[in-house]
Amino acid sequence: MSGAQDHKRRQPPKMYLVVSNLKIQDQLEGTIRLLRGNLCQEQEGGRSRGDQLWVKVLDYGCMVKIDKQLLIEVPTDLTGLLEPVSDPESRLNLLINPKQLYRLAALPLGTPLYVQMGQPGELAEAELRYRGPLTRGSTAVLFGVQLKDSAVGRGNSNGSYKGHQLFTCPEASALFLPANQIRLRRWSRANDDHHNNALPPQPQPPIGNIIARTAESSPSLAPVPVLARNPSSPPPFQVGHRVCFPLEDTVHGGEVRFCGALPGRTSTGVFVGILLDNAVGNWDGSYKGEKLCSISSSLYGCLLPISKVSPEPRSRRHTPPLQNPKPVLKPTQPPAPVSSPASTPKIALMPPQLLSAKLALKPPPLPSPKPFTKPHPLPPTPPTIKPQTLPSPTATDQPQLLNGSPGPLSPGRGDGLDAEENGDAGLEVELEVGSMVEVNDPPLFGVIRWIGRIIGVSQLVSGIELDQELTAGTDGSYLGERHFRCPANKGLFVKLRNCRRDSRFPAPETPVNQVERCNSIAFAEWGSERVEEHTPPVQGDEARDMYQGWKRGIQGHLNSCYLDASLFSLFSCCSSVDWVLLWPSNPSDGPHCSQAQDLLRCEIVNPLRRFGYVCASKTMALRRLLEAESSDTGFTNQEKDPEEFLNKLFQLLRVEPLLKIRSVTQKQQPQECHLYQLFPPSVPLSPSSPVPLSPSLCPIPLSSPAVLMRVASVQTLLETSFLHAGLKFAEAPSCLPLLMPRFGKDFKMFDAILPSLTIDITDLLDDTLRQCSICQAVAEWECLECYDDLDITPGRLKQYCHTCNTQVHIHKKRQSHSPCQVGVAGGPWTGPLHGTRQRLALFAVTCIETSHYVSFVKHGPRPNDWLFFDSMADREGGENGFNIPQVRACPEVGRYLSLSAEELGRLDPASLRESARRLLCDSYMCLYHSPELSLYK
């Protein structure tokens, strides 16, 4: 049962289209208008009982709850085609006609098309050259077309997208279009009627060009010709025709009982159902519960693609098969088409127990026919690791595993293969565990998880974890022995020689030194200027307009996000730390100090504030100085954290520490540091039972109290951290970097941390005037044990005048307290107390998710003046490519920051928008400042 539940959890989220125009009232966003055809994604954490669903509207990025009756589910295999369609109405029209979508999904490359260009109704001739996602990790399927005739030159690329060459054509002749902007140019009505709107399979080569090519085929077995078909011609087989096909090194014959497209699988072409002469089949005449023909016993039925079947020659009619057939287990599930290995290698290695569920896998594409020439000599056998030989018959009982070691990187070398196999294997080299590969055609994509040998197979075998489930797949086991682990129905065992590199991604580039490559020459097109003049930061709408967009902020390179996010947070929109840029240096500080200060001021901070962009070559120069100054050699290429970077940077600049903190119990010299790590109490603060709030009082919908999140504010964490450690600020800081409590990805002490917009540090300052918590007179005593007392100003530090201190501690439950006297510089204060509070304002938050740092920066005085920065938001090119930084406005987080910790704890976690979730749940460092105090630095 648990396995079934795990399998269910692994399913991708369901997608829906809105079937009618809607108006939804949202407490945060106000009125949200949804259009017919808006694409929605079901939220797993927000599933509701009854007739409503929490969904994310992908067109707008908002979370709403919608009645199920107003949604239509999108089949999983059509989601990618609908996702890039920008017009909701067109999206819905496409889904209403799924046959058209399946037809487009199966178009062979080279198909002539009409594409929509310019004005509506303006069509241009084109040819299909690519179909699939444009970037790694994307699920959106677009059609890459090459414009023809008069449309040549009206495209926008040469077949590449952001540095990835998806196909090749002349410049300005390629377009990448969604499904609603392409039309078929040629299509015969006869073919359309016969195939029930299914696309014909790609034309096969003429008779004689295809010969049976199986590694195990008998030399005496004559090649079986495959009948060539014109795509527009009707299928050549009628019910009652005699046909034959090869299976397990044997040619079998039978009578056609069905010929046509399978129900629901029109994109796979035409299949032939055969009544066999011998009991070697596994098909009962039905497909997915629909009866296609009458077969008396499933042992005498077989369903094959039409490309695997040939007319039976007169010479072999009524002759027995060449070999005794092997019995096949009766399938327990609806049978899948049987694989015929006559014209292809045996792609998937199947245990006998799974033979009945074997799929019809097509071979890898063959090289184009060439005249016979003398084969090239094979490359020499590498002198390193070789495939181990089996020393004795007893050793053959266990397959030899090469998983986790370099293993035989080049299949076919020294592997005992014949000349033909070695020639084919040499087409793909350097495949190893972890390589992204594809098999079959159309291809199945996956990752090699194991390489080794299996009993009964003479060649190396690879265990692949597929991207998508396969009926005949396993969980990484073969014949009862586990070779690797993967989800059920995703494991496939294939001869290594039949694997080829994943064609969706460019071939690996020659490794280069990425540290040395990051220079002004290689990054010339991404360069930024040097600015000598001191440039103050811009604020408000001017800052938003300058920073917002792609190629804005600081460009990332080689694990530099810790540095990029920290510098953007500190300097982009705030000047409280500008004094480090002008700190006077001494000759004794060394040459690196003045170089780093000049580099930081003129190459990074000033250009960032003047032009809104800094090239990665500038930050790499700073990283080289940090590495040269310290014994740590990882600053130029390894992952670091902002805490380590800022400590090293301020040490390199030889500036005064930002913070001076001393112990209350031990009156010693204050300890100096640049950042402070918040240490929460040993027991996490659990949300107290809040006073029931009316939804109208809170700008965001609240959930039931039964699902309260554990939330703490930065103000509370700072106070409790200082309180339990017995610490005080020796002086008020002009800039206060606070590191949030975190305990790794899997465990966090709090579900969310609310960055307080302002923090009050008045009661955390040593030797300063403070007010009595009760009467607001000058405080003379402080009691740490009263902090948790809910009867007296709960959640606040407690200090009292002499009279109030005496009265408070007369109570029997406080008689055990030990208040301490508050020190005031210059002795007791007798003058008036104006009650001025020392507060610091939040100006940036650095967040981390899966080892990647990003920043939220406040750029103006309004509550919604927030920017989001990611130095590696996208990438152009492969390993030797370039990261593309992005800055975008993020006004929605202001609404969440205006909540109290109690209100935030009552939010439904599924309703959090992506930006708010990253800010509240993944915060790493909060930066506070006092603009007034920074003037004295």
Side-chain angles (χ1 to χ4, degrees), residues 94-172:
L94 285 173
L95 184 60
I96 293 174
N97 185 13
K99 290 183 179 180
Q100 174 70 10
L101 277 180
Y102 283 115
R103 177 185 300 176
L104 296 177
L107 284 176
L109 300 185
T111 300
L113 301 170
Y114 284 117
V115 299
Q116 181 177 322
M117 296 183 61
Q119 299 297 325
E122 181 184 352
L123 299 180
E125 295 185 4
E127 178 183 318
L128 181 63
R129 297 293 305 278
Y130 173 81
R131 179 180 58 249
L134 301 187
T135 58
R136 183 172 184 175
S138 173
T139 58
V141 176
L142 286 102
F143 296 80
V145 300
Q146 180 179 347
L147 300 175
K148 297 292 185 180
D149 298 337
S150 61
V152 172
R154 298 178 61 187
N156 53 22
S157 77
N158 62 349
S160 65
Y161 182 80
K162 290 189 176 180
H164 292 277
Q165 194 72 41
L166 303 178
F167 64 91
T168 303
C169 71
E171 193 66 40

Side-chain angles (χ1 to χ4, degrees), residues 370-677:
K370 297 180 181 179
F372 176 79
T373 57
K374 183 178 180 180
H376 297 285
L378 294 176
T381 303
T384 54
I385 301 176
K386 296 182 180 181
Q388 301 179 8
T389 57
L390 303 178
S392 65
T394 58
T396 61
D397 296 336
Q398 299 294 333
Q400 300 181 16
L401 307 182
L402 301 178
N403 193 21
S405 63
L409 301 182
S410 179
R413 296 180 182 178
D415 196 31
L417 306 179
D418 57 31
E420 180 183 354
E421 291 169 342
N422 262 325
D424 292 335
L427 297 175
E428 293 294 337
V429 295
E430 303 303 323
L431 293 181
E432 57 185 337
V433 173
S435 295
M436 300 177 65
V437 295
E438 60 183 56
V439 295
N440 200 20
D441 190 17
L444 300 172
F445 301 100
V447 178
I448 295 179
R449 298 298 187 200
W450 173 86
I451 296 177
R453 295 189 181 277
I454 289 180
I455 300 173
V457 182
S458 60
Q459 299 139 33
L460 283 174
V461 174
S462 63
I464 301 175
E465 180 180 348
L466 298 173
D467 291 350
Q468 297 180 347
E469 292 186 358
L470 193 67
T471 305
T474 73
D475 61 352
S477 302
Y478 184 85
L479 289 175
E481 183 164 356
R482 179 171 298 284
H483 300 291
F484 65 96
R485 293 184 181 275
C486 70
N489 301 113
K490 284 195 172 184
L492 188 69
F493 290 87
V494 178
K495 292 177 183 177
L496 189 60
R497 64 184 292 267
N498 291 326
C499 298
R500 56 188 184 273
R501 289 201 175 275
D502 194 327
S503 61
R504 297 174 298 178
F505 309 107
E509 301 173 358
T510 304
V512 299
N513 187 325
Q514 293 296 334
V515 176
E516 298 300 328
R517 172 177 167 265
C518 189
N519 54 57
S520 58
I521 298 176
F523 281 68
E525 295 184 2
W526 297 81
S528 57
E529 299 182 25
R530 176 183 175 90
V531 177
E532 298 281 353
E533 302 82 9
H534 175 67
T535 307
V538 294
Q539 292 283 317
D541 294 342
E542 185 181 358
R544 183 195 61 209
D545 295 340
M546 182 181 70
Y547 284 120
Q548 187 171 251
W550 290 99
K551 196 181 176 183
R552 314 305 292 169
I554 302 175
Q555 183 185 27
H557 179 71
L558 200 61
N559 301 318
S560 69
C561 59
Y562 69 92
L563 177 144
D564 309 323
S566 301
L567 293 180
F568 191 85
S569 297
L570 283 172
F571 296 105
S572 61
C573 299
C574 178
S575 60
S576 292
V577 198
D578 280 12
W579 56 272
V580 303
L581 305 176
L582 307 171
W583 191 262
S585 59
N586 299 320
S588 59
D589 294 337
H592 291 159
C593 175
S594 58
Q595 292 177 21
Q597 188 182 64
D598 178 78
L599 180 62
L600 182 63
R601 182 179 65 252
C602 301
E603 302 279 6
I604 297 176
V605 176
N606 288 343
L608 178 65
R609 294 173 175 177
R610 177 74 60 86
F611 304 109
Y613 169 73
V614 174
C615 175
S617 61
K618 311 298 184 181
T619 55
M620 179 58 75
L622 180 61
R623 296 166 73 182
R624 288 193 181 99
L625 290 176
L626 290 170
E627 188 170 272
E629 185 70 11
S630 64
S631 57
D632 189 347
T633 59
F635 269 103
T636 56
N637 58 359
Q638 296 177 8
E639 294 180 356
K640 299 290 181 182
D641 56 60
E643 176 188 9
E644 186 176 3
F645 162 65
L646 292 178
N647 279 326
K648 293 293 184 183
L649 176 63
F650 291 146
Q651 291 172 14
L652 175 60
L653 297 176
R654 307 291 195 270
V655 296
E656 286 185 355
L658 295 173
L659 310 178
K660 294 181 180 180
I661 302 174
R662 68 159 51 103
S663 172
V664 176
T665 57
Q666 300 176 359
K667 292 294 184 178
Q668 300 176 348
Q669 289 295 322
Q671 300 293 318
E672 298 178 336
C673 57
H674 298 290
L675 307 94
Y676 180 75
Q677 171 69 63

Side-chain angles (χ1 to χ4, degrees), residues 43 139 143 148 150 155 177 216 252 256 265 301 312 419 462 525 567 572 582 681 686 712 726 733 766 807 811 863:
Q43 299 301 294
T139 58
F143 296 80
K148 297 292 185 180
S150 61
L177 302 172
E216 298 81 26
H252 295 279
V256 175
R265 288 187 59 182
E312 185 179 48
S462 63
E525 295 184 2
L567 293 180
S572 61
L582 307 171
S686 59
D766 194 21
Q807 292 177 347
H811 197 285

Side-chain angles (χ1 to χ4, degrees), residues 829-873:
W829 180 262
T830 57
L833 185 64
H834 299 290
T836 302
R837 310 292 296 181
Q838 184 67 55
R839 292 183 173 89
L840 302 179
L842 177 71
F843 71 91
V845 180
T846 302
C847 301
I848 179 174
E849 184 179 30
T850 59
S851 300
H852 181 61
Y853 293 94
V854 295
S855 292
F856 291 87
V857 175
K858 200 168 191 310
H859 67 88
R862 294 173 298 192
N864 60 347
D865 285 342
W866 284 91
L867 296 173
F868 172 78
F869 164 65
D870 186 351
S871 65
M872 303 178 181

Side-chain angles (χ1 to χ4, degrees), residues 9-16 40-44 47 73-74 76 79:
R9 282 196 296 267
R10 288 192 298 269
Q11 297 298 322
K14 294 182 179 179
M15 308 294 287
Y16 299 91
C40 304
Q41 182 185 66
E42 181 182 24
Q43 299 301 294
E44 183 175 1
R47 288 177 181 169
E73 186 173 350
V74 179
T76 305
T79 301

